[in-house]
């Protein structure tokens, strides 16, 4: 293979490893925080929701700003600064004796999240050959999913055996491990400096349409995560653990063993297949009310989820100049924050008016709307990346 086409270089492995460590830290915190709010701070459901959600609010608000910083100063400063800020804030949870103090620290964690994710995701694309950007996005997302899968197990073990503070120390330590790996990455400064007279944009145009498509899709996941645990009781199951395990294993399997699929299919075709599978899976979940139907539809839905992000990501990267790449990725990743904040709420209204299964049906319709947008995205961008297997092998 031509050295220029090599993806798994030491630098790429290190930045992906940094992302893995960081998301293990976020996963460590996830199952422990609600218990800490209830048991140690005496908070109720609202307090839990606010303390968990504060993280996403500050991350969403700061993503555009860190995008500009990454393009002007390089991606390395985002990785080092973001991981360090997150680590300091998580260590600070040890000192939180009130809900207000914890929320302040959670907002600070969100600052670190905004910088770390944008910096690491951009650096991974900087290091990827243009013909393997989808594959790079697949591997990077494996680090994200893997960390969020491993972290909660470690967090619960730490809390159970050594107490809540042990979980905070562990989470902070993983953040600093991410920062340590980040010190080895190249500075990744843009080769073309951003124009000094250019007007700053809150949202980068290259990421708007792909971001909306991703938001429509991830709104479906917000409903899946929120309402499957309730839906399974209607089917006579005692819990949703196996359903989520099936989902996670299917997504990770495709992104690891089928990492080159997005590049071989091209962005437009890959995203179309992904959204068709998501729509079918969610509609089956709505209409086929049985345990078998739930497992089959979850598998189909997971196949679609596994393909969409790696298919859309190259559109964002290739649609922006290298000097604006971090800004574009920051806009694109806002989709996760918006769908996490609004998706479950919007589908919750559907549930309150009908039942859980119709939330899946509405989510399936949203994925179909995303499919319609994909068909116009390829034409309007003029770069649908309709690469045949021959051109990418």
């Amino acid at each position: 293979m031509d050295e220029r086409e090599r993806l798994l270089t030491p630098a790429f492995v290190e930045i992906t490893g940094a992302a893995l460590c960081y998301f293990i830290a976020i996963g460590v915190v996830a199952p422990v925080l609600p218990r800490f709010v209830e048991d140690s701070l005496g908070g109720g459901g609202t307090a839990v929701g606010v303390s968990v959600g504060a993280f996403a609010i500050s991350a969403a608000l700061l993503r555009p700003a860190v995008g500009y910083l990454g393009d002007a100063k390089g991606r390395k400063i985002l990785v080092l600064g973001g991981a360090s800020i997150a680590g300091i804030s998580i260590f600070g949870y040890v000192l939180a004796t009130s809900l207000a103090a914890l929320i302040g620290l959670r907002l600070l964690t969100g600052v670190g999240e905004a910088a770390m994710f944008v910096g690491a995701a951009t650096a991974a694309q900087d290091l990827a050959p243009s013909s393997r950007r989808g594959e790079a996005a697949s591997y990077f997302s494996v680090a994200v999913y893997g960390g969020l899968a491993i972290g909660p197990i470690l967090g619960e073990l730490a809390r159970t055996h050594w107490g809540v503070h042990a979980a905070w120390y562990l989470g902070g330590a993983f953040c600093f491990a991410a920062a340590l790996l980040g010190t080895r990455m190249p500075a990744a400064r843009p080769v073309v400096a951003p124009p000094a007279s250019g007007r700053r944009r809150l949202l980068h145009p290259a990421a708007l349409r792909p971001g909306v498509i991703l938001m429509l899709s991830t709104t479906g996941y917000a409903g899946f995560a929120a309402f499957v645990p309730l839906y399974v009781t209607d089917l006579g199951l005692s819990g949703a653990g196996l359903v989520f395990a099936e989902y996670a294993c299917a997504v990770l399997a495709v992104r690891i063993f089928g990492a080159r699929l997005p590049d071989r299919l091209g962005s437009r075709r890959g995203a179309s297949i992904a959204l068709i599978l998501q729509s079918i899976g969610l509609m089956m979940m709505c209409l086929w009310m049985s345990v078998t139907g739930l497992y089959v539809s979850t598998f189909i839905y997971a196949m679609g989820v596994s393909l969409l992000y790696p298919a859309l990501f190259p559109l964002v990267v290739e649609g922006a100049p290298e000097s604006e790449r971090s800004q574009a990725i920051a806009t694109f990743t806002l989709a996760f924050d918006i769908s996490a904040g609004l998706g479950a709420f919007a589908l919750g209204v559907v549930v309150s008016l009908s039942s859980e299964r119709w939330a899946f049906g509405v989510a399936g319709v949203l994925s179909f709307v995303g499919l319609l947008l994909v068909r116009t995205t390829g034409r309007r961008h003029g770069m649908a990346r309709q690469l045949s297997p021959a051109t990418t092998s």
Side-chain angles (χ1 to χ4, degrees), residues 11 14-15 75-76 79-80 119-120 123 127 181-188:
E14 284 160 5
I15 193 60
R75 331 306 186 195
K76 188 172 185 176
V79 173
L80 295 180
L127 296 166
L181 284 170
T183 62
R184 297 177 56 84
M185 65 180 283

Side-chain angles (χ1 to χ4, degrees), residues 117-210:
F117 188 90
V118 171
T122 309
Q125 289 295 313
D126 289 338
L127 296 166
S130 60
S131 63
R132 302 183 71 176
R133 294 200 189 281
E135 185 180 2
S138 292
Y139 288 135
F140 185 81
S141 68
V142 167
V144 176
Y145 269 81
L148 294 177
I150 296 168
I153 299 171
L154 298 179
E156 284 288 13
L157 287 173
R159 182 191 66 82
T160 301
H161 291 286
W162 300 289
V164 170
H165 287 183
W168 304 153
Y169 289 131
L170 182 63
F174 269 107
C175 283
F176 281 104
L180 183 62
L181 284 170
T183 62
R184 297 177 56 84
M185 65 180 283
R189 290 288 296 272
V191 296
V192 180
S197 60
R199 188 179 66 178
R200 287 192 173 187
R201 295 166 295 200
L202 180 63
L203 301 174
H204 197 284
L208 288 179
R209 189 172 288 248

